[in-house]
Amino acid sequence: MSNITENLNTIHEKIDSCATAAKKESSTIQLLCVSKTKPIEKIIEAYNSGERHFGESYALEADEKIQKLKELGYKDIAWHFIGPIQKNKTKYIAKDFDMVESLDRPIIAQRLNEQRPDDLPPLEVLIQVNLSEEEQKFGCSVNEIDNLVETVKNCSKLRLKGFMGVGKDTPDLKVIEEEFIKLQGIFLKYQKTIPEISVLSIGMTHDLDLAIKHGSTEVRIGTAIFGAREYNTAPFNQEKVAFIGGGNMSSCIYESLTKIYSPEQIMVSGPHLEKLQKFKERGSGITTDNLEALKFAEIIFLGVKPQILTSVLEEIAHSQESLNHKLFISMAAGFKLSSIEKILNTKKIIRIMPNTPAKIGLGVVAVTYDDEVTEKEKQNLNVMLKNMGLIVEGSESQLNVIGVIAGCGPAFVYRFMEALVSESKKLGISNDLARKLVENTVLGAVSLVINSQDASLQSLREAVTSKGGTTFAGLTQMTEGHFEETMHNTVTASIERTNEFEKMF
Ligand SMILES: *Cc1c(COP(=O)(O)O)cnc(C)c1O
């Protein structure tokens, strides 16, 4: 008997005994096998032991696995999405899943409703309730539930089936038990008015007995079935990757990549071996021979400056290596897809433009593809880059604009900050304090914007401006000093420079 089958037997025995203790039929408690980070082979093992309900937490990883399993004929699996939901991932979740357990806000309900394909039955949803209020990041707070329930009722392609909760991660079982009691109360209350409500999803590996004691109808078990999670290996990403050029941006992508690829899958080439040591120390191959890196990998990041890219591309084009199935990803600004295709005499090219905050995971990465890049390759790229920040897809003509706003934008903001620091200093504030003041003001202002998606920038500005007041006086000077015109000229100049670069290559 395989490990997984054995583990499943143990879990079912445990569910049975907890159900008996709670005077319930064990058939009223669904086991959800949480397979996040696990390869499809393990899912198939659990499937062969009779399991049909699987839970996933990461939309892109899940999409890849679900498609593959469907292709292999595993079509009767009920897929449950249980992870935090990002707005830009709802389209995958809407098409792949049978139930979403982690619904936590109206905008997500609306997007899932709009994006649920017409040929699929309505998407079942559970509202994830934040049981410990401020301590947990995820879930709908208790006083927002009514509002979310109303939203779901108005979504014709969603069906509200119940509630989900994650018990606090604490050895103090009393705390977890109180949370489960609270959620059971909520479940019973809404069930009175909404008869379709039948699912109370509580209980994980460490707290399943408490959950069943307090009315769980579904326990979500990962570790006890599949073992510890495999965050650093990516069985769904078996390709090899090369970086030609090991500079700043390559390093930044490398960091994001090694969260899902193992370093042995990566080779970095560059003219100076000593500059590549840091990759070697992590376990990746290094070489001064670009063609060795090219031969090694199916996915090749071109991380050299635009001025050097032509010669690198010619070197690749003149090698004997078949380029047909290789994917090239260029980071060179101003170097068009068509220019790369022409020199390489092949397609399947992607251009990306990350900005510098990508180094700390808060970047914007602009992406554009040629028409031979497949959906799967696009999704794969999303997974590779996701630790760098927001990924924005656009047409190639938009890429220059996105590149200027996101790429030059940090410098524009720094210039603005420098001016504020300098003015504070003139008014007698020390350099250190001035910097702190400005840093935190900008951070606070931006965070407020991000947390107020329903408010326009104008209304946020107006909220700090009373007519005839102090802010008003300052802003009037910005208007009279032609601030908008200055910004127009600033952006235009950067875009024109990009266009000039494009003509050079
Ligand atoms: C990962 C996860 C689980 C499974 O947790 P285990 O402790 O491995 O059983 C259950 N629920 C949610 C929401 C999860 O993210």
Side-chain angles (χ1 to χ4, degrees):
M1 205 170 10
S2 84
N3 245 344
I4 288 178
T5 306
E6 244 169 69
N7 293 345
L8 280 165
N9 289 346
T10 310
I11 282 289
H12 280 292
E13 276 163 23
K14 181 143 190 207
I15 293 173
D16 287 348
S17 70
C18 292
T20 310
K23 304 200 167 50
K24 289 181 70 175
E25 288 288 329
S26 59
S27 62
T28 62
I29 299 160
Q30 178 63 53
L31 171 61
L32 180 69
C33 304
V34 177
S35 50
K36 63 187 180 213
T37 82
K38 299 293 168 181
I40 60 169
E41 293 74 26
K42 295 200 174 176
I43 297 176
I44 293 173
E45 268 186 69
Y47 181 98
N48 288 338
S49 302
E51 302 302 331
R52 291 295 179 272
H53 289 258
F54 289 85
E56 289 281 340
S57 298
Y58 308 104
L60 296 173
E61 178 200 327
D63 183 59
E64 174 109 33
K65 284 154 60 174
I66 293 171
Q67 296 313 325
K68 213 169 258 170
L69 283 162
K70 288 207 167 126
E71 280 166 30
L72 292 172
Y74 297 91
K75 293 186 178 152
D76 60 343
I77 292 177
W79 291 102
H80 298 234
F81 192 81
I82 61 171
I85 306 178
Q86 290 170 283
K87 246 172 29 178
N88 63 350
K89 301 293 172 347
T90 48
K91 61 175 181 235
Y92 302 107
I93 299 170
K95 78 178 168 62
D96 287 334
F97 285 85
D98 302 281
M99 179 183 271
V100 169
E101 303 200 1
S102 43
L103 183 65
D104 63 347
R105 54 198 196 277
I107 178 75
I108 298 298
Q110 283 152 2
R111 290 179 67 96
L112 290 171
N113 187 53
E114 280 162 23
Q115 293 169 336
R116 179 70 167 173
D118 286 327
D119 58 338
L120 293 180
L123 181 61
E124 299 189 329
V125 298
L126 305 184
I127 291 175
Q128 178 175 0
V129 180
N130 184 343
L131 293 170
S132 57
E133 295 298 338
E134 50 268 75
E135 288 173 44
Q136 274 184 6
K137 279 197 297 205
F138 304 114
C140 173
S141 59
V142 173
N143 53 24
E144 303 275 342
I145 296 177
D146 273 339
N147 180 28
L148 187 50
V149 168
E150 274 314 303
T151 307
V152 176
K153 272 191 193 159
N154 291 324
C155 291
S156 62
K157 287 193 225 150
L158 304 185
R159 292 283 178 276
L160 181 63
K161 298 293 285 185
F163 296 91
M164 186 269 257
V166 178
K168 192 176 175 193
D169 187 9
T170 166
D172 187 352
L173 297 179
K174 276 248 153 45
V175 173
I176 301 176
E177 185 158 21
E178 274 162 27
E179 291 177 347
F180 286 169
I181 291 172
K182 184 163 138 193
L183 189 56
Q184 186 181 24
I186 292 169
F187 168 76
L188 293 171
K189 175 183 141 202
Y190 282 92
Q191 200 177 32
K192 282 200 190 110
T193 49
I194 309 172
E196 299 92 274
I197 287 186
S198 58
V199 181
L200 177 58
S201 170
I202 46 175
M204 299 161 49
T205 294
H206 65 285
D207 54 20
L208 109 156
D209 37 0
L210 281 178
I212 293 176
K213 181 173 165 198
H214 294 293
S216 174
T217 70
E218 182 196 295
V219 290
R220 309 178 306 269
I221 310 294
T223 313
I225 300 171
F226 298 109
R229 274 180 277 285
E230 301 169 23
Y231 283 109
N232 288 319
T233 58
F236 55 98
N237 286 327
Q238 300 290 1
E239 309 90 344
K240 296 204 183 73
V241 181
F243 287 89
I244 297 189
N248 267 340
M249 270 309 156
S250 292
S251 304
C252 178
I253 295 172
Y254 181 92
E255 286 308 322
S256 177
L257 212 58
T258 44
K259 302 236 160 65
I260 44 165
Y261 283 77
S262 73
E264 296 78 37
Q265 282 171 272
I266 305 174
M267 185 182 285
V268 187
S269 75
H272 306 291
L273 272 189
E274 64 279 8
K275 288 195 181 155
L276 305 177
Q277 282 306 320
K278 60 180 179 200
F279 301 108
K280 189 175 176 187
E281 280 157 22
R282 299 278 292 275
S284 295
I286 59 173
T287 173
T288 52
D289 179 0
N290 291 339
L291 297 183
E292 186 186 347
L294 173 77
K295 287 198 186 89
F296 172 80
E298 292 92 56
I299 299 174
I300 295 111
F301 281 91
L302 301 163
V304 297
K305 294 205 168 64
Q307 297 84 325
I308 303 172
L309 186 57
T310 307
S311 65
V312 168
L313 290 174
E314 283 168 353
E315 185 187 3
I316 292 173
H318 294 128
S319 73
Q320 302 297 313
E321 190 65 14
S322 158
L323 305 181
N324 264 341
H325 295 287
K326 294 195 193 269
L327 180 68
F328 289 92
I329 303 167
S330 163
M331 305 173 224
F335 216 108
K336 279 191 178 174
L337 291 172
S338 57
S339 311
I340 301 173
E341 288 167 0
K342 209 161 112 200
I343 305 178
L344 290 184
N345 194 24
T346 181
K347 293 190 92 173
K348 238 189 228 303
I349 317 284
I350 299 177
R351 278 181 66 189
I352 61 172
M353 291 173 70
N355 64 1
T356 50
K359 286 183 195 159
I360 55 166
L362 292 172
V364 174
V365 188
V367 182
T368 196
Y369 320 93
D370 75 17
D371 51 14
E372 283 193 15
V373 177
T374 64
E375 277 309 309
K376 213 182 109 185
E377 286 163 337
K378 291 180 191 176
Q379 285 170 27
N380 214 355
L381 184 75
N382 267 277
V383 176
M384 289 187 210
L385 303 181
K386 74 176 176 195
N387 293 301
M388 297 172 71
L390 178 73
I391 297 164
V392 184
E393 294 176 12
S395 65
E396 191 164 28
S397 58
Q398 290 171 325
L399 197 68
N400 289 347
V401 179
I402 299 170
V404 164
I405 300 297
C408 313
F412 301 158
V413 174
Y414 301 150
R415 183 79 179 265
F416 175 80
M417 292 171 75
E418 284 175 65
L420 280 184
V421 169
S422 150
E423 290 308 313
S424 315
K425 281 162 62 180
K426 283 185 204 159
L427 295 167
I429 308 260
S430 72
N431 189 56
D432 287 356
L433 178 58
R435 177 169 165 153
K436 279 257 159 319
L437 274 178
V438 172
E439 270 172 21
N440 282 283
T441 303
V442 173
L443 175 66
V446 172
S447 307
L448 193 60
V449 168
I450 290 173
N451 280 302
S452 317
Q453 289 295 317
D454 300 331
S456 67
L457 290 169
Q458 183 187 340
S459 69
L460 291 171
R461 168 168 53 76
E462 283 167 0
V464 280
T465 317
S466 49
K467 195 144 191 176
T470 50
T471 312
F472 182 80
L475 289 172
T476 305
Q477 281 303 312
M478 289 181 94
T479 310
E480 288 179 3
H482 305 289
F483 181 73
E484 274 72 21
E485 198 180 320
T486 301
M487 287 314 298
H488 169 75
N489 294 338
T490 303
V491 171
T492 309
S494 293
I495 291 193
E496 279 172 1
R497 192 74 185 121
T498 309
N499 293 341
E500 282 169 24
F501 272 124
E502 234 173 38
K503 291 204 192 82
M504 283 161 57
F505 304 112

